[in-house]
């Protein structure tokens, strides 16, 4: 009887561990949808409007909780510009001195009326070279005859010059955007909301993955060079497979605590 009870308890514990593993992304950054961020950027009229959209609960593309207080973190946006190149950095404040970059949108002008962009997740939060770009589909007909003909469809790059926010950044007199918000100083009316399970979050963001694709190669090389010296990362966040180890975090009382999340190992998906 005791053996049966022990066996049952063991099975229950394994089931709970498996369920928890499925509810946690392999990399903590996957709680922020890079594809969803590009979808919002494409619709935004300005960088300020883009930051507002990122932090709107109804848009559902942010589920990050890097300081583990159970609530979604506020995303700030800062533009670093050199000539015709922009690096829009999306970041989270974890204290008044700690700041962690989440992703960077690199934008490069490639002609009088053409531009390209990619968004890349920060290496502390995402798998290496997690890069997303907008895509279009090119279809060509191959073969001859009724039985030999077939359509060949392949994704191609997108000219983002006509995106309103891109035109806004390249217009004469553009003032480089620096988010005025920081740790515990947020826009009036903004309130954090509770995080949801990863399975719920990734289901909400699934439609964005049909329009924006992950690619293995960085093409906005100049934008990355502009960004790299300005990268912000923190000792609070340490990359681990299936989770993040919290070295220290600030409590509401302002004290510092030491905490370590148990991490799971496994193959990349």
């Amino acid at each position: 009887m005791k053996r049966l009870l022990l066996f049952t308890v063991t099975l229950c514990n394994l089931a709970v561990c498996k369920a928890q593993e499925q509810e946690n992304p392999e990399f903590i950054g996957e709680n922020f949808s890079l594809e969803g961020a590009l979808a919002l950027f494409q619709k935004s009229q300005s960088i300020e409007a883009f930051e507002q959209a990122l932090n709107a609960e109804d848009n559902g593309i942010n589920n990050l909780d890097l300081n583990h207080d159970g609530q979604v973190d506020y995303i700030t946006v800062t533009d670093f510009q050199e000539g015709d190149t922009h690096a829009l950095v999306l970041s989270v404040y974890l204290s008044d001195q700690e700041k962690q970059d989440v992703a960077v949108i690199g934008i490069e002008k490639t002609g009088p009326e053409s531009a390209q962009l990619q968004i890349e997740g920060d290496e502390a939060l995402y798998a290496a070279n997690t890069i997303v770009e907008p895509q279009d589909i090119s279809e060509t007909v191959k073969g001859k005859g009724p039985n030999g003909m077939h359509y060949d469809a392949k994704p191609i790059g997108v000219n983002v010059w006509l995106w309103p926010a891109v035109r806004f950044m390249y217009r004469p007199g553009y003032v480089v955007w620096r988010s005025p918000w920081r740790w515990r100083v947020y826009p009036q009316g903004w309130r954090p909301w509770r995080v949801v399970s990863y399975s719920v979050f990734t289901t909400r963001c699934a439609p964005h993955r049909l329009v924006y694709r992950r690619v293995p190669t960085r093409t906005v090389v100049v934008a990355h060079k502009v960004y790299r010296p300005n990268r912000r990362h923190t000792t609070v966040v340490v990359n681990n497979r299936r989770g993040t180890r919290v070295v220290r975090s600030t409590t509401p009382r302002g004290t510092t605590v030491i905490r370590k999340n148990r991490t799971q190992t496994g193959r990349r998906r």
Side-chain angles (χ1 to χ4, degrees), residues 37-71:
L38 284 189
L40 295 181
F41 185 69
Q42 184 174 0
K43 299 175 184 177
S44 299
Q45 298 295 319
S46 66
I47 312 307
E48 181 178 8
F50 175 52
E51 181 172 322
Q52 292 172 350
L54 289 174
N55 293 288
E57 182 178 4
D58 292 345
N59 287 328
I61 64 104
N62 181 20
N63 197 44
L64 277 179
D65 177 21
L66 296 185
N67 62 353
H68 293 263
D69 63 356
Q71 297 181 319

Side-chain angles (χ1 to χ4, degrees), residues 16 44 73 77 110 119 143 145 148 154 161 168 185 192 196 200 204 224 229 236 243 249 265:
V16 170
S44 299
D73 301 321
V77 180
T110 56
I119 185 170
K154 61 180 181 179
W161 179 252
F168 176 83
V185 180
V196 299
V200 170
R204 289 178 181 175
H224 185 73
V236 173
S249 60
T265 58

Side-chain angles (χ1 to χ4, degrees), residues 176-194:
V176 174
W177 173 257
R178 297 282 192 272
S179 177
W181 312 113
R182 56 190 187 276
W183 173 247
R184 293 182 178 172
V185 180
Y186 305 119
Q188 184 177 4
W190 182 83
R191 295 291 183 273
W193 58 93
R194 294 200 62 81

Side-chain angles (χ1 to χ4, degrees), residues 143-195:
K144 296 181 179 180
N147 297 324
M149 294 180 60
H150 66 277
Y151 286 93
D152 182 32
K154 61 180 181 179
I156 58 176
V158 173
N159 179 11
V160 300
W161 179 252
L162 293 180
W163 289 17
V166 174
R167 298 295 296 270
F168 176 83
M169 297 169 70
Y170 284 99
R171 72 181 185 182
Y174 165 70
V175 177
V176 174
W177 173 257
R178 297 282 192 272
S179 177
W181 312 113
R182 56 190 187 276
W183 173 247
R184 293 182 178 172
V185 180
Y186 305 119
Q188 184 177 4
W190 182 83
R191 295 291 183 273
W193 58 93
R194 294 200 62 81
V195 297

Side-chain angles (χ1 to χ4, degrees), residues 178-240:
R178 297 282 192 272
S179 177
W181 312 113
R182 56 190 187 276
W183 173 247
R184 293 182 178 172
V185 180
Y186 305 119
Q188 184 177 4
W190 182 83
R191 295 291 183 273
W193 58 93
R194 294 200 62 81
V195 297
V196 299
S197 68
Y198 178 65
S199 59
V200 170
F201 174 71
T202 191
T203 300
R204 289 178 181 175
C205 297
H208 300 308
R209 295 193 287 273
L210 300 176
V211 184
Y212 307 91
R213 60 171 178 160
R214 298 201 172 191
V215 295
T217 305
R218 181 188 302 126
T219 57
V220 287
V221 179
V222 177
H224 185 73
K225 291 180 179 179
V226 171
Y227 161 67
R228 198 64 189 178
N230 299 292
R231 178 177 178 254
R232 295 285 299 273
H233 59 96
T234 171
T235 55
V236 173
V237 178
V238 179
N239 185 34
N240 272 317

Side-chain angles (χ1 to χ4, degrees), residues 67 74 126:
N67 62 353
Y74 185 88
Y126 294 84

